[in-house]
């Protein structure tokens, strides 16, 4: 949680790329995964997920030839499934992990509602911008069985919400 335009999303994308590939710098003291992971990266709308989150991870959404110029290197991209109905939006991508097997990244949006977030277990969930509390809680549930992580990159522009309160008071 920090002010606007200070690099939160770039940092979030860099962390996601490390977890997907397993290529951690020596100085990294955070959580490490020694096997391929299942991950979701999400934004407020399908369009903002494409234009911000996906672009930081993959490169320009409308120029497939430049996918691999974001935080995920081209050499690690193993296959892309495009989303239906929104130009340039990716549904999921396989990312080569240092073990030689593939991690899976899916792109989500908050506008899909909590019910579309149910089901599978995840090792990593990155939420870009503050999400509704029900989606945050559903995200935590996705990582329970895996002892995974959830992180949010956001500015508290909506004020003292329940999600902000959870970070600042631990409640």
């Amino acid at each position: 949680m920090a002010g606007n335009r200070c690099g939160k999303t770039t940092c979030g994308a860099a962390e996601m790329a490390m977890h997907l590939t397993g290529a951690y710098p020596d100085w990294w003291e955070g959580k490490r995964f020694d096997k391929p992971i299942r991950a979701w990266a999400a934004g407020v709308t399908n369009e903002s997920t494409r234009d911000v989150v996906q672009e930081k991870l993959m490169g320009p959404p409308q120029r497939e030839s430049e996918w691999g110029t974001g935080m995920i290197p081209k050499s690690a991209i193993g296959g892309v499934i495009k989303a239906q109905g929104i130009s340039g939006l990716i549904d999921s991508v396989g990312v080569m992990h240092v073990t030689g097997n593939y991690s899976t990244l899916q792109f989500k949006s908050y506008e899909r509602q909590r019910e579309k977030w149910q089901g599978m277990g995840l090792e990593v969930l990155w939420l870009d911008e503050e999400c509704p509390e029900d989606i945050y809680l559903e995200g935590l549930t996705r990582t329970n069985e895996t002892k995974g992580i959830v992180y949010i990159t956001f500015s508290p522009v909506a004020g003292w919400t329940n999600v902000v309160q959870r970070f600042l008071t631990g409640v």
Side-chain angles (χ1 to χ4, degrees):
M1 180 170 58
N4 285 318
R5 311 298 309 159
C6 63
K8 298 177 302 297
T9 300
T10 299
C11 292
E15 181 170 351
M16 179 61 84
M18 288 189 291
H19 294 313
L20 289 165
T21 63
Y24 298 97
D26 293 338
W27 52 263
W28 180 254
E29 295 180 8
K31 177 99 173 176
R32 290 175 182 249
F33 295 93
D34 59 1
K35 64 181 181 79
I37 65 165
R38 295 161 296 173
W40 289 348
V44 177
T45 66
N46 288 325
E47 290 79 4
S48 67
T49 298
R50 177 196 62 200
D51 297 344
V52 180
V53 176
Q54 179 184 312
E55 181 169 23
K56 291 283 187 191
L57 287 166
M58 297 289 290
Q62 303 298 342
R63 295 193 299 275
E64 266 185 69
S65 64
E66 294 181 39
W67 290 356
T69 61
M71 294 291 181
I72 301 171
K74 190 175 197 83
S75 62
I77 297 172
V80 173
I81 297 173
K82 295 178 188 175
Q84 299 295 314
I86 298 174
S87 176
L89 180 64
I90 295 172
D91 178 74
S92 62
V93 60
V95 179
M96 179 62 72
H97 190 270
V98 296
T99 60
N101 294 310
Y102 284 94
S103 292
T104 302
L105 170 65
Q106 289 183 287
F107 292 97
K108 295 273 191 186
S109 71
Y110 310 155
E111 70 185 357
R112 292 186 184 178
Q113 305 300 310
R114 183 193 59 78
E115 292 78 14
K116 300 277 181 155
W117 290 63
Q118 295 174 330
M120 68 184 290
L122 302 171
E123 283 75 28
V124 178
L125 171 59
W126 168 33
L127 303 162
D128 187 55
E129 302 302 345
E130 187 176 353
C131 62
E133 185 179 30
D134 64 336
I135 285 181
Y136 177 67
L137 295 173
E138 193 65 46
L140 290 175
T141 302
R142 300 300 107 228
T143 60
N144 282 345
E145 71 186 55
T146 66
K147 296 183 174 61
I149 60 172
V150 176
Y151 62 99
I152 308 176
T153 50
F154 74 102
S155 299
V157 296
W160 189 259
T161 64
N162 289 341
V163 172
V164 170
Q165 182 178 342
R166 287 177 176 278
F167 284 97
L168 297 181
T169 67
V171 176

